[in-house]
Amino acid sequence: MQNPVYHIPALLNECIEGLNIHPDGTYVDVTFGGGGHSKAILSRLNDKGHLYGFDQDADAEQNILPDNRFTFVRSNFRFLKNFMHYHNVDEIDGLLADLGVSFHHFDDSERGFSFRFSGKLDMRMNNRAGISAADVLNTYDEERLSDLFYLYGELKASRKIAAAIVQQREKKSLTDTESLLEIIQPFINKKQEKKELAQLFQALRIEVNHEMESLRKMLVQATDLLKPGGRIVILTYHSLEDRLVKNFFKTGNFEGKTEKDFFGKVSTPFKTVNNKVIVPSDEEIANNPRSRSAKLRIAEKI
């Protein structure tokens, strides 16, 4: 049964203000989802403005906005530039990305995004293609599993968890969340059980959906598409994403290496609009607890 609330956008007003919307401009919401951010963007556009909404999840298509100023793109945002060219768009005035997982995904037990429910180990944002979490758990070797739990989940017991999974799958394949939880429980700190389980599921989700690679590709393509003075607004929810976006905005590369020109000026295509990261207020967190970890960064194309 589908949750009646598909998603509540985090920092909605701050995102829209950060875009500095021109009424006749061209904008892209690369994480359309429930359409909350897109509706707010459209409310600021006139008849000449246009918004493109990207989403690879078939479920998001039920939320397509019936507006002539809106075009839905059935794709991962890693293909941003290809689809913009397909729609004869060479320049955009702004781009928004909300990298969080929606209520809809967490609350749908069949998708396997949450440890709260018994369900298939899927975790694909696009469940029409690609490998599932079960495929990762049953085919990756021990070292590769350990690396992804450590790098993407920041779990100290990553080696022990990987070894236990490999040992168990020799007897029986892992197909559902219950079987995974049973295996990893001995290696989870009971004092911070929810946090560590969330980190492990996060690591699998990032791997299944190639999230970090897709984010890198999208940011590079967005840089090429943005007009001078155009804004890019990114909502992140974990340190890996946030560090990557922060580095790219400040230095123009993902490693955060500062390169300067002859005059000592840092070589980057952006100037940051908010030097201090924007986080939700206590009031917003009370109304929308899942916004607690949200961080908003805004940059302007030089």
Side-chain angles (χ1 to χ4, degrees), residues 19-38:
L19 278 172
N20 191 32
I21 295 171
H22 305 304
D24 58 353
T26 300
Y27 292 87
V28 183
D29 177 355
V30 296
T31 49
F32 175 72
H37 285 113
S38 285

Side-chain angles (χ1 to χ4, degrees), residues 137-294:
L137 292 167
N138 289 305
T139 63
Y140 280 24
D141 63 36
E142 188 175 321
E143 183 179 3
R144 193 174 180 188
L145 281 174
S146 175
D147 286 346
L148 83 88
F149 291 141
Y150 183 74
L151 294 172
Y152 294 158
E154 300 176 296
L155 290 163
K156 293 178 181 178
S158 59
R159 290 181 184 275
K160 293 178 180 178
I161 292 170
I165 288 170
V166 171
Q167 184 179 11
Q168 176 62 30
R169 78 188 189 195
E170 290 175 357
K171 304 171 189 174
K172 185 180 179 182
S173 295
L174 282 78
T175 58
D176 55 59
T177 54
E178 282 185 332
S179 59
L180 175 60
L181 291 172
E182 187 177 342
I183 295 166
I184 65 175
Q185 280 295 347
F187 312 105
I188 298 296
N189 185 337
K190 299 302 179 187
K191 292 182 179 178
Q192 48 184 14
E193 183 178 30
K194 286 185 178 180
K195 179 183 177 183
E196 292 192 6
L197 288 176
Q199 288 171 300
L200 185 134
F201 273 64
Q202 169 188 289
L204 282 170
R205 192 197 77 228
I206 290 172
E207 179 69 14
V208 166
N209 296 289
H210 310 291
E211 291 181 20
M212 302 308 291
E213 178 189 354
S214 296
L215 177 56
R216 290 187 184 94
K217 289 186 174 182
M218 183 273 287
L219 288 170
V220 170
Q221 293 172 54
T223 305
D224 293 338
L225 286 167
L226 276 170
K227 297 177 182 177
R231 294 281 183 90
I232 181 167
V233 175
I234 311 286
L235 270 170
T236 67
Y237 293 82
H238 58 76
S239 58
L240 297 172
E241 293 172 339
D242 189 57
R243 191 180 309 122
L244 190 150
V245 173
K246 179 183 177 182
N247 286 344
F248 191 68
F249 283 177
K250 289 196 170 183
T251 66
N253 61 71
F254 299 116
E255 296 76 29
K257 296 177 182 176
T258 301
E259 298 175 4
K260 297 182 179 180
D261 61 19
F262 179 78
F263 301 100
K265 186 178 180 182
V266 177
S267 298
T268 173
F270 295 107
K271 65 176 182 180
T272 53
V273 174
N274 59 318
N275 290 320
K276 185 177 181 182
V277 68
I278 299 170
V279 297
S281 65
D282 291 341
E283 182 181 359
E284 175 165 351
I285 292 171
N287 293 325
N288 182 11
R290 286 180 180 163
S291 71
R292 183 183 302 277
S293 57

